[in-house]
Amino acid sequence: MELSQRARLRAGDQGALAELFDEHAQAVYGYALRTLGDWAAAEDAVSLTFLEAWRLRGSLHRDGDSVRPWLFGLATNVLRNTARTARRHRAAMSRLPEREPVPDFADALVTRLDDDARLAAVRRALARLRRGDREVFRLCVWVGLDYASAAEALGVPLGTVRSRLSRARTRLRALTDEELTLDQKSALDREPGSGPGQVRHGGVGAARSTQGDIR
């Protein structure tokens, strides 16, 4: 009788780990990228997640179907630690003298900058949620886990996942709109004032709704 992927992984079969990587690495990467907002950091998080999967393979329950909830539970822990390290790094960097920003007005970057700005606004809004609400939202909405799988990944009751997700969605819509409004106001405040012989140009790109991003 052929052993399941779960059983093979528990037994230390490296082929099972390779299969797990092929099946889920892209989804883990997307989860990490949306959470961290940094391509390189997301790639590191993927590597750490699968290293943890190998190191902690004995913690995988013998019984069950998909190992996806277990894997994303590990990814969530990796991202918690990564975010904690990033906060320490930002705190250290904030103590260094500031450098003057160098703006880039290349037309080819407008779309990319707009997308990055909206993602940054969503991430800032998420950071204002309670950690439990934030993690449930990421797993259910960004990763696509169902309630039961998210509950398994986080080790919480099913009802807790439902209530946290409902609360997160409600708060996130309002907070994201607030962040985008603040971004727009900040951009306008940075524009040079009108003077003799000068014409002030309006800012390009009004804040757009992010409901498509967070539903």
Side-chain angles (χ1 to χ4, degrees):
M1 179 178 179
E2 185 177 352
L3 294 176
S4 67
Q5 184 184 65
R6 177 185 295 266
R8 290 165 54 218
L9 188 60
R10 281 181 52 86
D13 184 343
Q14 294 186 5
L17 180 67
E19 290 175 8
L20 189 71
F21 183 89
D22 290 342
E23 292 169 5
H24 300 294
Q26 193 61 42
V28 173
Y29 176 74
Y31 177 37
L33 178 60
R34 283 175 158 177
T35 300
L36 301 173
D38 181 271
W39 306 92
E43 290 176 353
D44 290 342
V46 172
S47 298
L48 288 171
T49 296
F50 284 94
L51 283 172
E52 285 293 274
W54 182 250
R55 185 176 71 87
L56 299 174
R57 60 189 182 277
S59 69
L60 183 59
H61 293 308
R62 294 180 182 277
D63 301 322
D65 296 321
S66 173
V67 299
R68 185 178 171 90
W70 173 77
L71 180 65
F72 277 93
L74 297 179
T76 299
N77 287 333
V78 166
L79 293 174
R80 285 175 187 166
N81 294 333
T82 301
R84 191 178 301 117
T85 300
R87 285 195 296 272
R88 294 196 194 103
H89 177 72
R90 286 194 298 270
M93 294 297 291
S94 69
R95 293 191 288 270
L96 297 177
E98 291 188 10
R99 294 184 297 178
E100 289 295 323
V102 180
D104 189 339
F105 299 105
D107 291 340
L109 292 178
V110 171
T111 301
R112 171 66 182 276
L113 290 175
D114 183 58
D115 290 342
D116 287 349
R118 289 191 292 123
L119 176 57
V122 173
R123 289 183 61 247
R124 289 197 304 274
L126 273 169
R128 294 169 63 182
L129 300 180
R130 298 174 183 173
R131 190 179 77 176
D133 294 356
R134 183 167 63 243
E135 291 175 349
V136 164
F137 178 87
R138 287 169 176 164
L139 289 174
C140 290
V141 177
W142 285 357
V143 177
L145 295 187
D146 58 28
Y147 292 150
S149 296
E152 181 182 342
L154 296 174
V156 299
L158 183 63
T160 299
V161 170
R162 293 179 184 275
S163 61
R164 286 181 181 177
L165 181 59
S166 176
R167 183 168 58 231
R169 279 176 165 154
T170 300
R171 287 279 293 150
L172 192 57
R173 290 190 183 97
L175 291 175
T176 300
D177 287 343
E178 182 180 320
E179 291 290 342
L180 287 170
T181 299
L182 289 174
D183 282 349
Q184 187 181 27
K185 182 178 184 300
S186 178
L188 290 174
D189 290 343
R190 288 196 298 270
E191 288 187 359
S194 299
Q198 293 179 327
V199 177
R200 179 171 178 174
H201 298 281
V204 178
R208 294 183 295 180
S209 171
T210 61
Q211 289 187 4
D213 293 324
I214 64 177
R215 65 185 176 206

